[in-house]
Amino acid sequence: MRPLPPPDDAPQRVRVTSSRRAPAAPARRPLQTELDEQTTLGEVYVRGLMGAQFRLAASIIVVGVLGLGGLPLLFWIVPATRSLRVLDWPIAWLLVGVVIYPVTVGVAAYYVRRADRIEADFTEMVEQQS
Amino acid sequence: MSDQDFKAFAVVAILLVCAATLVVGAYGLRFSRTTSDFYVASRQVGPGRNASAISGEYLSAASFLGVAGLIYENGFDSLWFPVGYTAGYVVLLVLVAAPLRRSGAYTIPDFAEIRMQSTGVRRMSAALVVAIGWLYLLPQFQGAGLSLQSVTGWPTWVGTVIVVLVVVLGVAAGGMRSITLVQAMQYWLKLCALAIPAFVLLWLWKSQGAPGPQEVVGAGESLREWYEPLTRSTDEPLSLYSTYSTLMALCLGTMGLPHVLVRFYTNPDGPAARRTTTVVIGLIGMFYLFPPIYGVLGRVYLPLDGAEVAADQIVLQLPRAALPGLTGELLSAILAGGAFAAFLSTASGLVISIAGVIAQDVLRPTLQRVTAGDSGLIQSFRLATVIAVAVPVAAAVFTAPLGLARTVNLAFAIAASTLAPLLLLGVWWRRLSTTGAFAGLLVGGTLATIATIVTVVVRPENSWLATALSQPAAWCIPASFATSVIVSLLTPDRIPSGVSRTMARLHTPEGVELSSVR
């Protein structure tokens, strides 16, 4: 089969060259999308956030284990501490029955402040990148 | 002053508490319209009120009556119980509070499904929630009967029936919205009911020259054992093991209790969940300053030998013994009212969370099939409420009571060795596989349940084995964690596919808008 001859009113052939304009910048992907679409980049950010939160939580737990778990160990190893009295008040009862509660509240309040800070920093960073 | 008058005061106080519970519940009912209201109070409860409600629900009769009784019996070594109950909230705060709120789940089984994407894990955790809840409800119902008997001499079933009726009416009618208000009120009621008599008793004790316990009991070796840490048992390492095992069970068990977690879903967002928890720690810490006062003064005014007072009842009997006359009777009546507030609030919270699970996981699928989708959500919730109450009531009638705090601690131990590992690994460890989660629940649940049954039924004598079985947390928790981790590492192909997205959802702050997530 022979190719048909071009019709008379066919447009003139032109040469295609590169565009004169600079290439358009690729659309910026907001960081939210990266987090959202489980891209490697997004996962790196979430891992960073989780790591920071976990380190904070672990430090609180370690303090708790040392403080709370240390007392029975102290009573066991040094029997003299069991009946220690200051101004006729039994120290063991005061520590475990009273002092421990305000200390716990203080530790919890400290944790909440730090955790809120970590999240605020993360939110701010995501907004700047978007 | 006759016994009859005391009966009348106490009955009036208890009836007032029940009436207040129903009236405040009915007031909250006006706002309770949608299913979301029923389960999670539409998630619009501020930190202050929510914290009062959580504390009101958490401070059960085991705290109101049981802790003082244990200290009365065992002395210093029982001081760790209230400490553990409080420290459990710190563990919950730093490890799971905000992520759980962000998961957007209604119940623990919901969380299991969102995180593990497995119906098997969901069903297993639903069964555990119901079992733990029932074990926790049992002493509340039994305790109510025994307490009413202790103050009025009426048969034990009367108190149980009163608590059951008020709880079912409140929960089935109003759901979570009205219960939140009721429980917030009940926290303050319990605190005042415990604190006011405590101050009066302390003042009395001081004015009598602050007599020490030994002046009544008689000085000797037994008092030193009561007074000093770790001297209860002849075998000191055994005491040390008990202390640590109890602390582990309470610290990790709190997050696995069904009625505690369901409360966290009523916070508006993650930071609010954290703030609520901090306020809770303050509120319950304030409450726990008082039970030791009753335990110690109990040793002063209610001597062990010759007294026929069960340990769980010393809080109710102490003012009558210390202050014979009208004042003592009135104070005892106030305490009886407070104790009933404790029975009611904890039982309501437990029933609502058990009923939520039964309605969602058992009844709704069945009803859908039978009625072809005609049954409403709220109807199935109401039916589930009745089921949630019926089983522990039957158990309360047919089993001998084991003591408030002891039974509750077994529930803590089971929660700590099953649901706690699931929550902790689920929130923080990406490589947790479905098989691993399931195996952990199975191993932890089986070990803790066997230990519980042996302790309750066989009741072995003093030995290493007996202690290890009655305080199972120290070996059940590591066993459950180890099983989950090892099985997960062996089955990497069973890691849920959307784990990255779930982790982003659990840990990303609310300020970051994730379109696919919320």
Side-chain angles (χ1 to χ4, degrees):
Chain A
M1 219 165 85
R2 287 186 301 142
L4 291 169
D8 291 342
D9 54 350
Q12 250 192 326
R13 284 222 287 187
V14 287
R15 205 155 160 213
V16 176
T17 58
S18 70
S19 145
R20 301 244 173 105
R21 285 180 301 158
R28 282 203 55 167
R29 287 167 57 82
L31 190 52
Q32 279 102 324
T33 320
E34 304 281 352
L35 296 174
D36 228 9
E37 294 176 353
Q38 305 175 47
T39 58
T40 319
L41 180 62
E43 204 177 306
V44 166
Y45 277 104
V46 174
R47 275 179 197 273
L49 173 69
M50 276 176 69
Q53 294 282 41
F54 189 75
R55 277 190 298 278
L56 172 63
S59 65
I60 301 279
I61 298 279
V62 167
V63 168
V65 167
L66 289 182
L68 208 60
L71 273 177
L73 206 62
L74 178 74
F75 293 143
W76 187 53
I77 295 173
V78 192
T81 52
R82 297 176 190 172
S83 51
L84 197 68
R85 280 168 175 266
V86 171
L87 299 176
D88 211 34
W89 286 92
I91 283 300
W93 282 78
L94 274 190
L95 276 182
V96 181
V98 181
V99 177
I100 217 163
Y101 296 107
V103 172
T104 309
V105 175
V107 169
Y110 169 79
Y111 166 80
V112 169
R113 252 207 0 251
R114 290 285 306 273
D116 281 351
R117 173 83 49 82
I118 291 175
E119 287 181 358
D121 289 350
F122 182 82
T123 310
E124 197 182 323
M125 183 196 66
V126 171
E127 271 161 10
Q128 278 171 0
Q129 305 265 323
S130 306
Chain B
M1 188 59 48
S2 72
D3 212 41
Q4 210 57 38
D5 293 319
F6 173 56
K7 220 188 236 188
F9 287 140
V11 169
V12 168
I14 290 169
L15 287 181
L16 276 179
V17 167
C18 293
T21 303
L22 287 175
V23 168
V24 176
Y27 172 76
L29 189 59
R30 296 190 311 178
F31 309 109
S32 188
R33 298 219 172 77
T34 64
T35 310
S36 179
D37 276 340
F38 253 71
Y39 285 116
V40 289
S42 308
R43 301 199 173 161
Q44 289 303 323
V45 184
R49 185 190 289 180
N50 208 9
S52 301
I54 293 176
S55 314
E57 187 170 73
Y58 186 64
L59 295 170
S60 71
S63 301
F64 197 94
L65 303 174
V67 167
L70 281 180
I71 294 173
Y72 174 72
E73 257 185 3
N74 302 331
F76 181 89
D77 287 347
S78 298
L79 269 188
W80 292 109
F81 283 90
V83 171
Y85 293 144
T86 314
Y89 269 101
V90 179
V91 181
L92 189 150
L93 166 71
V94 302
L95 288 174
V96 297
L100 274 180
R101 172 59 196 90
R102 288 178 180 135
S103 74
Y106 277 153
T107 60
I108 297 177
D110 278 346
F111 172 80
E113 191 172 19
I114 288 169
R115 174 64 180 83
M116 303 315 300
Q117 294 173 359
S118 145
T119 352
V121 180
R122 186 196 169 101
R123 292 218 178 101
M124 185 78 184
S125 51
L128 282 165
V129 164
V130 174
I132 294 166
W134 277 342
L135 187 59
Y136 211 111
L137 270 175
L138 173 66
Q140 313 295 330
F141 288 158
Q142 282 179 336
L146 290 172
S147 298
L148 195 66
Q149 187 181 43
S150 149
V151 296
T152 64
W154 293 347
T156 50
W157 61 266
V158 183
T160 309
V161 166
I162 293 176
V163 168
V164 167
L165 277 184
V166 176
V167 166
V168 169
L169 276 178
V171 172
M176 196 64 133
R177 192 67 175 263
S178 75
I179 286 296
T180 303
L181 201 60
V182 172
Q183 277 163 343
M185 172 199 80
Q186 269 162 346
Y187 168 75
W188 296 103
L189 208 151
K190 274 184 275 192
L191 183 70
C192 296
L194 200 63
I196 294 169
F199 284 127
V200 175
L201 289 170
L202 275 180
W203 169 81
L204 172 82
W205 176 71
K206 194 82 189 151
S207 71
Q208 292 176 346
Q214 59 268 38
E215 286 165 36
V216 178
V217 181
E221 201 60 14
S222 71
L223 189 73
R224 198 182 71 84
E225 275 175 19
W226 182 82
Y227 208 62
E228 291 181 11
L230 302 175
T231 40
R232 286 292 298 167
S233 166
T234 44
D235 200 355
E236 279 190 11
L238 215 62
S239 292
L240 198 65
Y241 167 85
S242 292
T243 303
Y244 280 127
S245 190
T246 306
L247 279 175
M248 279 177 77
L250 302 183
C251 285
L252 288 174
T254 304
M255 77 175 68
L257 293 181
H259 62 306
V260 169
L261 265 193
V262 88
R263 274 275 160 222
F264 276 83
Y265 307 126
T266 59
N267 286 300
D269 54 23
R274 281 200 291 259
R275 261 185 289 283
T276 302
T277 317
T278 317
V279 182
V280 167
I281 293 169
L283 290 178
I284 59 179
M286 187 156 63
F287 181 89
Y288 282 132
L289 294 175
F290 296 101
I293 296 176
Y294 287 87
V296 173
L297 291 186
R299 280 277 173 151
V300 176
Y301 294 108
L302 288 167
L304 260 187
D305 39 336
E308 280 158 20
V309 187
D312 281 339
Q313 308 304 332
I314 67 128
V315 169
L316 299 180
Q317 298 297 341
L318 179 59
R320 306 176 68 191
L323 269 167
L326 184 66
T327 323
E329 306 290 350
L330 276 176
L331 293 180
S332 280
I334 292 176
L335 285 163
F340 264 74
F343 291 124
L344 289 175
S345 54
T346 302
S348 304
L350 283 164
V351 166
I352 214 165
S353 46
I354 302 172
V357 170
I358 294 180
Q360 259 189 323
D361 285 78
V362 185
L363 280 184
R364 205 181 299 163
T366 319
L367 285 176
Q368 290 282 337
R369 228 180 17 251
V370 175
T371 63
D374 268 352
S375 64
L377 298 177
I378 291 174
Q379 279 87 327
S380 66
F381 182 79
R382 286 182 173 150
L383 183 58
T385 305
V386 176
I387 300 174
V389 169
V391 173
V393 166
V397 172
F398 292 115
T399 61
L402 188 73
L404 282 168
R406 286 201 180 85
T407 320
V408 161
N409 286 343
L410 288 172
F412 268 93
I414 297 181
S417 29
T418 53
L419 299 172
L422 172 73
L423 293 172
L424 287 177
L425 294 173
V427 166
W428 293 106
W429 198 46
R430 284 164 191 269
R431 288 154 80 187
L432 178 66
S433 77
T434 310
T435 325
F438 192 84
L441 288 180
L442 195 67
V443 169
T446 312
L447 291 179
T449 312
I450 290 176
T452 303
I453 291 174
V454 171
T455 304
V456 175
V457 180
V458 186
R459 305 197 184 196
E461 285 301 301
N462 256 344
S463 69
W464 259 106
L465 187 68
T467 311
L469 287 175
S470 64
Q471 306 283 353
W475 48 277
C476 287
I477 296 171
S480 175
F481 269 108
T483 311
S484 278
V485 170
I486 292 169
V487 174
S488 291
L489 291 178
L490 292 177
T491 54
D493 52 320
R494 299 294 310 276
I495 295 173
S497 55
V499 62
S500 295
R501 181 163 294 195
T502 318
M503 283 302 187
R505 171 181 182 167
L506 293 182
H507 293 278
T508 318
E510 279 80 2
V512 181
E513 296 290 333
L514 303 182
S515 59
S516 69
V517 165
R518 292 197 179 83

